[in-house]
Amino acid sequence: LTDPAEIDALRRRAPHLFQRGLARPKVRRDAAIVILALIALGLLLWQGVPRLSAPLARLIPLQWERNLGLSFRDRLLAGAELCRTTAGSAALSRLIERLIMGLPAAAALTVVVADSETVNAFALPGGQVVILRGLLATAGSADEVAAVLAHEIGHVSHRHPTQMAIRAFGIGLVGDLLTGEGSALVELAGEVGGALLLLSYSRDMERQ
């Protein structure tokens, strides 16, 4: 339309055609839906995923969980050699047997010592526990090593690593939905940052 009189007449007959931005009801409705969806998404990440991770962890098949844990372990160790000496393996087995008495998850436990100077030990899905050589070199006694190992076995017993994997997967899935890019959880394990997310236990988990 080019005639000002016709435009004014149309504006009087159908004013909604001349609305712009948030003045349009459909735009306001769509904006409200997006805001509510973002709020719901935030609540899901903040409360829903953490709360659901524990019951979901109990439903995951043990073999799938072990494969996931091995994948994370290989990525985190980045080719570091594992201790396989007869004497070392025997000493570790004796220590583990004393620590796992009465634990229901004892059968799923696998403990290895990796050749790394980092002073640390960590638990991963599928009952994988890794002790780094730096911890053994720094510890003042076998009791100190046993205390750290018992702590990590506690994480395994409560299936905390698997719960953290579910949380990581939930966050990654939401990221895929927002960005439109597809990725698998094992690909997340390929990123050091994603793998380290599994080691960031909550205070409640540490208290358990």
Side-chain angles (χ1 to χ4, degrees), residues 37-205:
L38 291 175
I39 292 174
L41 184 61
L43 290 174
L44 175 65
L45 292 178
W46 181 42
Q47 292 291 335
V49 173
R51 289 180 182 275
L52 291 174
S53 62
L56 287 176
R58 292 191 289 268
L59 300 177
I60 294 179
L62 184 57
Q63 187 58 48
W64 184 90
E65 186 181 345
R66 284 177 176 169
N67 293 338
L68 179 64
L70 287 172
S71 175
F72 273 100
R73 191 185 78 179
D74 293 343
R75 297 286 186 175
L76 282 171
L77 295 183
E81 186 178 356
L82 300 181
C83 174
R84 303 186 187 279
T85 64
T86 303
S89 298
L92 184 60
S93 296
R94 288 194 298 269
L95 178 58
I96 294 171
E97 287 176 3
R98 294 173 57 192
L99 294 175
I100 65 175
M101 279 195 235
L103 287 182
L109 185 67
T110 301
V111 183
V112 298
V113 178
D115 187 12
S116 171
E117 296 180 357
T118 304
V119 182
N120 199 11
F122 52 86
L124 294 170
Q128 298 290 330
V129 176
V130 178
I131 302 173
L132 301 182
R133 177 172 55 83
L135 176 67
L136 300 180
T138 305
S141 67
D143 288 341
E144 292 183 6
V145 176
V148 174
L149 181 55
H151 181 89
E152 300 305 329
I153 291 175
H155 283 310
V156 170
S157 181
H158 289 286
R159 303 194 76 175
H160 292 160
T162 307
Q163 293 179 40
M164 294 306 298
I166 292 173
R167 295 186 189 189
F169 177 71
I171 293 172
L173 180 60
V174 169
D176 291 344
L177 292 175
L178 293 177
T179 62
E181 297 179 358
S183 65
L185 181 55
V186 176
E187 292 178 3
L188 177 65
E191 302 295 333
V192 174
L196 291 180
L197 178 62
L198 291 179
L199 310 182
S200 303
Y201 299 114
S202 66
R203 291 183 179 180
D204 287 339
M205 289 180 176

